Amino acid sequence: MDARVFDKKNLPSRHVTEGPARAPHRSYLYAMGLTKEQIHQPLVGVASCWNEAAPCNISLMRQAAVVKKGVAAAGGTPREFVTITVTDGIAMGHKGMKASLASRDLIADSVELTMRGHCYDALVGLAGCDKSLPGMMMAMVRLNVPSIFIYGGSILPGNFRGQQVTVQDLFEAVGKHSVGDMSSEDLDELEHVACPSAGACGAQFTANTMATVSEAIGLALPYSAGAPAPYEIRDQFCMTAGEMVVELIARNIRPRDIVTLKALENAATVVAASGGSTNAALHLPAIANECGIKFDLFDVAAIFKRTPYIADLKPGGKYVAKDMFEAGGIPILMKTLLDNGFLHGDCMTVTGRTIAENMEKVKWNPHQDVVRPANNPITVTGGVVGLRGTLAPEGAIVKVAGMPQEALTFTGPALVFDCEEDCYAAVSAKKYKEGCVFVIRYEGPKGGPGMREMLSTTAALYGQGMGAKVALVTDGRFSGATRGFCVGHVGPEAAVGGPIALVEDGDIIELDAIKGTIDLKVSEEVLAKRKAAWKPRAHEFGSGAIWRYAQTVGPAVNGAVTHPGQAGETHIYADT
């Protein structure tokens, strides 16, 4: 791409680089080796969530270095910075998971503050693990400077005695081990081979779900989100992203030109079609909040209900992200959805072209069975279903991808726990009966605080062979790797006195993923008496980041957001 000459009079960086009053500011930039020419070019923030916590993030620094080359080649000046990541696979199954969802908003906040404080003109954001993807996209639409999102890429699948495996298999192996169906030696062998490379968890769990969203919503370059982390082609995507963001500055194409209601509907469509994570029903409303678009859990669920499930991906199916990329990537999924009327083709993207224009040269690959044609789906409705009823007036959500039709309804007596640890202990000791509905409450956004995922518990049940014989309901949430009849995001949550706070052992709970209902079969009179006797529970955080999160976080139905979003704006950073 040809280098451009920019007039910075309308760019934020003019406040730190232009005019005699900014001589002290420029001296800092000279101290870092910048030339006069570089100082007076647009300053592009290159933000990554690099850390050494997990393989999801470990390749991001190298990829950011390539982005910087692209920015420089196109006439911009890259300024690299990093933010935090809490990696769910490491945080899972203990109190560390309380930090996970809170990290999403902290990532968005920290990127915003870095961009504001240094007056950068554009943003390329690299993310690798579950909450860092929506956090980075939230920052982009909040700031509304020209931006491109880059996913760090998925991990390669492991191989266990000739079988393709992911970390999901390892979580479920813990359950098998607990009932004597797997030896300690086999468990040890599996843990050594399950995660063989850099990259995020390899199936259609939350990271790959939100990566799919990044292309469908228009913030990522086509094909870029599907390439596994170790593949050298990632450097081409990173170089192009760096060049392209400078082009977006020149053309003044901003994230809110891209993330419209139609784009959000496209994003929800690809989640449903790919059997993606229920966490998308939190993250899409949160992204919408940043640009003032009403798009809550029920709006997401309505899209899910009318979308065919067509990608045969784990955990409900048999393939992983690498297989999807090699079959044609996210564009092959989007192409068949577009051709069959399920996507809005007129939405703008970071290429400067519309979705339909991006898809013009995408050809169907008949030599693969990872993605089915949208007119010949695995099931006619999406892999994720919204529920509503007397147990969840503010809604709930369940992932049904891969579940047989006869498993889409469940009725049973409640077995109630006030935290995940107590439920996991009961499951590990097999202190439950087939046919029960586990209820884990006080794990919502406020009550947890932090709305923990329940993968350790659900995977243990599946490993014990009980995945189809019990159900689980929570005001917390689930990993994208969860499978079985597991209902999350129940609202109102227990901490604010929602119906889930009033459930007692033995109460009958009726779940129907076909009709979209979730009902507590207890009379209004009995519930009124229980409500009168109910008292709020204190949580264990009296200070610090998680305490602060609990003070500000809203309900799951609106994305568990922590600030008013566009509704409270008096100006947009990009117009500084």
Side-chain angles (χ1 to χ4, degrees):
M1 184 177 294
D2 293 334
R4 294 176 176 272
V5 177
F6 286 89
D7 180 354
K8 295 182 74 170
K9 66 181 180 182
N10 292 319
L11 296 181
S13 66
R14 72 187 187 277
H15 294 295
V16 296
T17 66
E18 306 306 304
R22 299 309 181 224
H25 305 66
R26 290 191 295 272
S27 71
Y28 282 122
L29 300 177
Y30 283 123
M32 292 182 284
L34 295 189
T35 65
K36 179 177 288 190
E37 180 184 24
Q38 288 172 322
I39 289 171
H40 293 292
Q41 292 176 160
L43 303 185
V44 177
V46 178
S48 85
C49 298
W50 177 87
N51 64 29
E52 293 183 331
C56 331
N57 317 303
I58 201 69
S59 70
L60 295 179
M61 184 180 290
R62 180 187 67 78
Q63 294 188 42
V66 183
V67 171
K68 290 165 66 177
K69 291 179 182 178
V71 172
T77 301
R79 309 314 297 150
E80 184 178 2
F81 63 95
V82 296
T83 184
I84 69 156
T85 312
V86 173
T87 297
D88 288 7
I90 298 289
M92 193 72 67
H94 55 88
K95 291 184 179 180
M97 180 51 71
K98 293 177 183 284
S100 170
L101 187 58
S103 76
R104 180 195 70 181
D105 296 72
L106 183 54
I107 289 164
D109 292 348
S110 62
V111 172
E112 175 197 355
L113 293 176
T114 301
M115 295 286 291
R116 282 186 183 277
H118 305 106
C119 293
Y120 295 153
D121 301 314
L123 174 63
V124 179
L126 299 94
C129 196
D130 296 7
K131 307 309 168 294
S132 59
L133 281 77
M136 197 65 75
M137 287 185 263
M138 288 162 65
M140 289 174 176
V141 292
R142 183 188 301 179
L143 294 162
N144 204 34
V145 291
S147 301
I148 294 180
F149 176 84
I150 296 177
Y151 179 42
S154 68
I155 199 170
L156 296 176
N159 189 291
F160 181 67
R161 300 175 184 175
Q163 297 297 310
Q164 191 166 265
V165 293
T166 71
V167 73
Q168 170 199 350
D169 297 279
L170 200 48
F171 274 101
E172 292 178 4
V174 173
K176 293 178 182 178
H177 182 266
S178 73
V179 293
D181 287 345
M182 176 175 273
S183 68
S184 296
E185 293 75 19
D186 287 353
L187 183 62
D188 181 70
E189 180 182 342
L190 179 58
E191 73 178 75
H192 277 80
V193 301
C195 297
S197 76
C201 299
Q204 201 67 349
F205 310 149
T206 304
N208 281 319
T209 295
M210 295 309 296
T212 306
V213 161
S214 71
E215 287 195 30
I217 210 168
L219 290 173
L221 296 172
Y223 293 101
S224 66
Y231 281 21
E232 292 300 319
I233 196 174
R234 294 221 56 81
D235 284 2
Q236 296 179 35
F237 293 126
C238 292
M239 185 75 181
T240 302
E243 294 174 333
M244 195 67 217
V245 78
V246 180
E247 175 74 10
L248 294 180
I249 298 172
R251 296 178 62 181
N252 197 29
I253 297 175
R254 302 183 183 187
R256 295 189 194 180
D257 301 323
I258 293 168
V259 180
T260 62
L261 177 59
K262 285 183 175 181
L264 288 158
E265 290 175 346
N266 284 347
T269 298
V270 298
V271 173
S274 64
S277 170
T278 54
N279 281 308
L282 280 177
H283 302 325
L284 293 178
I287 293 169
N289 177 65
E290 300 288 354
C291 41
I293 298 171
K294 181 196 172 294
F295 196 67
D296 63 19
L297 172 63
F298 296 112
D299 298 309
V300 175
I303 303 293
F304 289 169
K305 190 171 183 179
R306 67 175 187 244
T307 304
Y309 166 44
I310 59 174
D312 193 10
L313 297 169
K314 287 177 178 282
K318 61 182 179 179
Y319 292 110
V320 297
K322 177 185 80 74
D323 302 320
M324 173 85 154
F325 179 67
E326 292 172 353
I330 294 163
I332 196 174
L333 174 74
M334 293 175 60
K335 176 69 169 176
T336 187
L337 290 168
L338 178 67
D339 287 349
N340 287 277
F342 293 102
L343 286 185
H344 303 291
D346 57 347
C347 294
M348 176 61 68
T349 74
V350 292
T351 65
R353 300 187 296 272
T354 65
I355 291 285
E357 289 169 338
N358 288 344
M359 295 294 111
E360 276 180 7
K361 295 183 179 179
V362 176
K363 291 184 169 53
W364 180 254
N365 176 6
H367 307 293
Q368 57 84 36
D369 61 351
V370 181
V371 179
R372 299 267 289 270
N375 58 0
N376 182 28
I378 300 168
T379 59
V380 294
T381 56
V384 184
V385 172
L387 308 176
R388 193 175 198 171
T390 57
L391 185 54
E394 286 185 357
I397 201 159
V398 59
K399 185 171 184 175
V400 298
M403 290 173 61
Q405 187 75 8
E406 63 271 16
L408 297 181
T409 59
F410 197 101
T411 301
L415 184 58
V416 183
F417 301 91
D418 285 347
C419 67
E420 186 197 10
E421 284 86 354
D422 291 349
C423 185
Y424 183 75
V427 170
S428 297
K430 296 210 71 178
K431 292 182 178 179
Y432 64 92
K433 293 181 180 179
E434 182 178 322
C436 75
V437 179
F438 292 95
V439 175
I440 306 178
R441 62 191 178 192
Y442 297 103
E443 292 285 8
K446 282 187 178 295
M451 203 178 184
R452 287 193 290 180
E453 292 180 347
M454 307 291 159
L455 178 60
S456 292
T457 300
T458 59
L461 286 166
Y462 216 93
Q464 291 176 359
M466 299 299 289
K469 299 174 182 177
V470 296
L472 195 153
V473 172
T474 181
D475 54 4
R477 58 195 177 88
F478 295 111
S479 163
T482 291
R483 50 180 173 165
F485 210 133
C486 299
V487 179
H489 305 198
V490 168
E493 62 174 292
V496 298
I500 193 171
L502 310 178
V503 181
E504 296 183 358
D505 286 345
D507 289 349
I508 300 300
I509 294 175
E510 188 176 87
L511 308 170
D512 192 325
I514 300 171
K515 295 179 181 177
T517 57
I518 174 171
D519 290 308
L520 177 62
K521 311 304 283 186
V522 175
S523 71
E524 291 183 9
E525 292 77 15
V526 170
L527 288 178
K529 289 180 181 179
R530 293 181 187 176
K531 180 76 175 194
W534 177 81
K535 294 180 180 179
R537 294 171 74 253
H539 58 72
E540 61 187 333
F541 294 91
S543 66
I546 296 177
W547 173 86
R548 184 168 58 244
Y549 179 80
Q551 310 311 304
T552 58
V553 69
V557 65
N558 296 322
V561 296
T562 55
H563 71 116
Q566 187 273 342
E569 280 181 350
T570 57
H571 78 281
I572 301 171
Y573 165 75
D575 296 330
T576 297

